[in-house]
Amino acid sequence: MSQSSPADEGTTFEHLWSTLEPDSTYFDLPPSSHSGSSEVSNQTEVTMDVFQMRSMNESVMSQFNLLNSSMDQSIGSRAASTSPYNSEHPSNVPTHSPYSQPSSTFDAMSPAPVIPSNADYPGPHHFEVTFQQSSTAKSATWTYSPLLKKLYCQIAKTCPIQIKVSTPPPPGTIIRAMPVYKKAEHVTEVVKRCPNHELGRDFNDGQSAPASHLIRVEGNNLSQYVDDPVTGRQSVMVPYEPPQVGTEFTTILYNFMCNSSCVGGMNRRPILIIITLETRDGQVLGRRSFEGRICACPGRDRKADEDHYREQQALNENAAKNGNVNKRTFKQSPQGIPALGAGIKKRRHGEEEMYYVPVRGRENFEILMKIKESLELVELVPQQLVDSYRQQQQQLLQRQ
């Protein structure tokens, strides 16, 4: 940058001075009050006249404005350094306005609790999670059992879940899906994929989702996968979308990326899928949960589990009925026969359990069934009748 000579500076000053057209070209300042008199005047008069710039071209005005702005910055920096209210923090630290909005829908999400709740909570918007009607056919890739409140699906297969609310939630609301272990002894552990599926190339190549996450969202580019920095729990979130015209539900397509039987992962431990409706700051507006099982044949496993559940229900009902019958007392008994319950030996611990014996051949099975019936009938007969029957049999043998 070239430096101007004193002659050039003088010419520039004369040019600027000539452009001034004063109305009054002076300042009247009060005379000095330092005199022999002891009185000090408290009045000060200042007269300032206005100067107008004329014949200013753009180049001169730009230089003047640049000079003016540099002087303002210098004065501002000096005032900031001497102000008693300046911040102790460096000026280059950004400060967030309380009215600024997050750059993303999920920027303000709070961490998940250490042990997430799995209790159903419809909330103010009557949040519901439902499934389409499904069958137990062997060819089904997924199925849901309302009886067991349990979802069965194959690994990496599309599983549609329907979301319904009675009133629209606030803007920025999200839907989170999180897996947790069902049993208390495992609930503190984080549900992840097994090392075989996590490190393998199947279902991982070309995927934006982290390889360790069990639950993925299909067909939604706005999905976000979260690893809680405190608890380490993994979840996937999508923005809530209102249902389309003519429908009541919003459908989300989920994938489950590891089998329940995988060693090193779930390892046959039952899990729960928790679906929550949350605001952008993490406030829960609704919660639903259901059990999940990822297996090779969802229809077969659902049918087997439902049959076993019904059998257990029937056994429990029969046990309850038998318990009530045993507690009853017969008010009327045939003459010569004491009331049932008198003289009957109490069963020892363990005799209420059921045992099964495999038998080969129909004839052997019928013989064992007669023995079984005889033993059960003996328990219902009073001991006095049993003794009387044995005496009669002895008498018959003696006569022969």
Side-chain angles (χ1 to χ4, degrees), residues 294-312:
I294 303 95
C295 51
C297 192
R300 178 197 62 189
D301 290 356
R302 173 188 170 183
K303 188 176 183 303
D305 288 350
E306 287 181 343
D307 292 343
H308 178 70
Y309 177 81
R310 293 189 182 97
E311 291 177 359
Q312 289 296 118

Side-chain angles (χ1 to χ4, degrees), residues 99-232:
Y99 304 102
S100 62
Q101 298 295 329
S103 59
S104 172
T105 306
F106 314 108
D107 285 352
M109 297 303 299
S110 60
V114 177
I115 301 178
S117 173
N118 57 8
D120 287 342
Y121 170 62
H125 303 282
H126 298 88
F127 178 65
E128 295 182 9
V129 174
T130 59
F131 296 85
Q132 301 173 0
Q133 187 175 1
S134 55
S135 64
T136 57
K138 293 183 179 180
S139 59
T141 57
W142 73 273
T143 182
Y144 179 76
S145 171
L147 178 64
L148 305 176
K149 199 179 178 183
K150 187 174 182 179
L151 173 67
Y152 302 81
C153 62
Q154 292 180 352
I155 183 174
K157 296 296 182 180
T158 304
C159 180
I161 296 180
Q162 297 175 336
I163 305 298
K164 181 181 178 181
V165 292
S166 60
T167 56
T173 301
I174 61 96
I175 298 174
R176 183 198 300 267
M178 177 188 298
V180 297
Y181 284 111
K182 182 178 179 180
K183 294 185 177 180
E185 57 265 30
H186 307 136
V187 71
T188 56
E189 299 183 34
V190 179
V191 182
K192 294 184 178 181
R193 300 174 73 189
C194 69
N196 184 30
H197 286 116
E198 180 181 354
L199 302 177
R201 299 183 59 183
D202 294 341
F203 314 123
N204 291 332
D205 292 347
Q207 296 292 331
S208 60
S212 62
H213 277 241
L214 174 67
I215 305 177
R216 294 180 182 176
V217 174
E218 179 181 346
N220 193 329
N221 295 329
L222 298 178
S223 59
Q224 182 169 346
Y225 297 86
V226 180
D227 289 69
D228 190 85
V230 179
T231 64

Side-chain angles (χ1 to χ4, degrees), residues 371-386:
I371 298 174
K372 167 185 170 294
E373 293 174 356
S374 300
L375 293 174
E376 292 179 350
L377 290 173
V378 167
E379 293 181 354
L380 299 177
V381 177
Q383 187 64 29
Q384 297 179 357
L385 292 180
V386 174

Side-chain angles (χ1 to χ4, degrees), residues 12-60:
T12 303
F13 176 77
E14 291 178 358
H15 176 70
L16 292 174
W17 184 259
S18 64
T19 59
L20 298 176
E21 185 179 356
D23 294 338
S24 299
T25 57
Y26 62 90
F27 291 94
D28 288 336
L29 298 178
S32 176
S33 61
H34 299 284
S35 61
S37 176
S38 60
E39 296 181 356
V40 178
S41 176
N42 293 329
Q43 296 181 353
T44 303
E45 294 182 358
V46 177
T47 301
M48 183 177 67
D49 295 328
V50 180
F51 292 83
Q52 296 181 354
M53 305 292 291
R54 61 190 181 96
S55 302
M56 295 289 290
N57 55 20
E58 295 181 357
S59 62
V60 176

Side-chain angles (χ1 to χ4, degrees), residues 349-380:
H349 177 70
E351 291 186 356
E352 294 291 342
E353 298 179 3
M354 302 292 292
Y355 296 92
Y356 299 90
V357 178
V359 181
R360 187 184 300 277
R362 183 69 182 181
E363 183 177 359
N364 295 336
F365 172 75
E366 292 178 354
I367 294 173
L368 292 177
M369 284 297 296
K370 292 179 179 179
I371 298 174
K372 167 185 170 294
E373 293 174 356
S374 300
L375 293 174
E376 292 179 350
L377 290 173
V378 167
E379 293 181 354
L380 299 177

